[in-house]
Amino acid sequence: MSTILTNRHDFLLLFEVTNGNPNGDPDAGNMPRLDPNTNRGIVSDVCLKRKVRNFIAEFAPARNGNGYGIFIQSGPALERTINEAVDKNNKSAEAAVKWLCREFYDIRTFGGVLSVGNEVMKGSAYGQLRGPVQFTFGQSFHPITPLEISITRCVQTTIKEEDKERTMGNKHIVPYALYAAKGYVSPAFAERTGFTQGDLNLLFEALLHMFEHDRSAARGEMVVRGLYDFEHIGTQGETNAEQNKREARLGCAHAHKLFEGIKVGLKPGREFPQSFDDYEVVCGWSDGNLPKGVKLNKLSEG
Amino acid sequence: MNNNRITLRVWGDYACFTRPEMKVERVSYPVMTPSAARGMLEAVFWEPQICYLIDTIHVVKRGRWFSFRRNEVAKVIQLGSVKVWMEAPEKFKPIQADDPGSKIPPKRESTRAQRNMLALQEVEYLITAEVRPTELGKQQPLVKYFEEIKRRARSGKCFHRPALGAREFAADFEYEEDAVAAFARRRQELCASQQPYDEDLGLMLYDVFALNDRAIGFQWLPEEAALTDVRPAKGKGKPAAPRFAGVQAEPQAVFFHAAVKQDVLDCHPDRVRFARRNND
């Protein structure tokens, strides 16, 4: 069992879609999500969290003190039984919350809302369990042009259509788009839910591989093109470990400045991105110019 | 007037300051609420010895309205059920987020709910707050806390990532010396129109507690912890003192009459009109 996470992390995830629908919009007949003001594509935070959950449910590591159950399940994930019951005498609310955090990876990571059975406290901070990891919406770098593709189906979906030979269907695709989503990990909440360094490593593993185990005709090809993890380690020398620990918890630099160092643009002469080859991703950070106390882990690049 | 004021510039791609009267399908207020502003400052720094009184909120970028529908679950974790599962893990039932209309077996009991959200896009504010000591912090020099806030905001340190109303709308922040100067500077940088923003917003949520309770000092403690002392009793025969001797405050919504005048939402409690159920 590894230790509770002590360092702040800010990470940037770059991913692309080719001829697929990364995240459908229920408001628009499952068209790819689109920001009507800028025509840039959007992938919701919950969509990314779903993929992380599905990955963990499928590739849960062996129990090591903490369990890796998934509380909010979807699809035909394997039913996992929890093998370890706890002390029957301890029935306090606090013990129940601790148990939830210990057994379920998604609660330990993303938090959850508890019903405390008290009308006054309902929905208040009292019943909220805030998780250390938070995702923002993924946004494409350039406007996307969703296409509606009509298909013929030789299998009928309703009994009424049974005598027909073929029916028509449609699906939406984005020919190509590169998206970026930001993530933040706050150690202050990791202490509350018991989120460990091992859990964080597992989260990164899930982010790197989640699309590989989520293939479907609708989603086309989705590939992670970059995962930049800024780890805050503290600006003090080794002699001042205590102060370093405090700094690593709160962070050593503005997250927006760190993210701004990773520049994504089109190569000269390219106007409309059609593949990752049209993009130029330049990481402006090197050991020499990174703000003091910050370490960049390039978990995936290009 | 005192000078214990700090200004934080905050911005983000999205924001949703949910109106309490419409919380099934979330609808944002057009401008950040004082409670959201307080939450952002507390995300950067907070100790029970101080409290923030939001003085003004400068609206640098109003943002655009933005509608968004997502799949959510209509269920929360029932504490009672958790206690059952702790003892009998085989009875555990996860929350199912499958499509309830799905014809693909196995058919499960799903609690998926599609919910809309009317949020704001691309916002930027300048939060000016007064730092006040609470009853717990009266013995300490306030400047100590004041300097710590400055230090943190300048170097990008935060207790947890601040967010604009909802955690998926993470925000960035920067310390500003002077709100008025910063506002003028940002307006110029953005090449925004100089047309001032004036709007009467009607009733707006001020915060979820009565102000007087807050001034005493404020701690979230579970009921059991509030009444028992976890420290070993020192000395002979000295009874264990309760960890917190204050009153137990319950959340209580307080509303005020909000109006943006010349790009500024004034929300200092000394200057705004509160709406209260009983005149206390």
Side-chain angles (χ1 to χ4, degrees), chain B residues 189-208:
Chain B
E189 282 169 5
L190 294 164
C191 305
S193 78
Q194 299 301 311
Q195 195 73 34
Y197 169 35
D198 286 284
E199 193 180 354
D200 193 328
L201 302 173
L203 277 186
M204 187 192 244
L205 180 73
Y206 182 80
D207 217 320
V208 287

Side-chain angles (χ1 to χ4, degrees), chain B residues 118 133 151 199 205 207 227 242 265 280:
Chain B
L118 191 59
R151 206 160 36 236
E199 193 180 354
L205 180 73
D207 217 320
L227 302 171
L265 174 67
D280 53 354

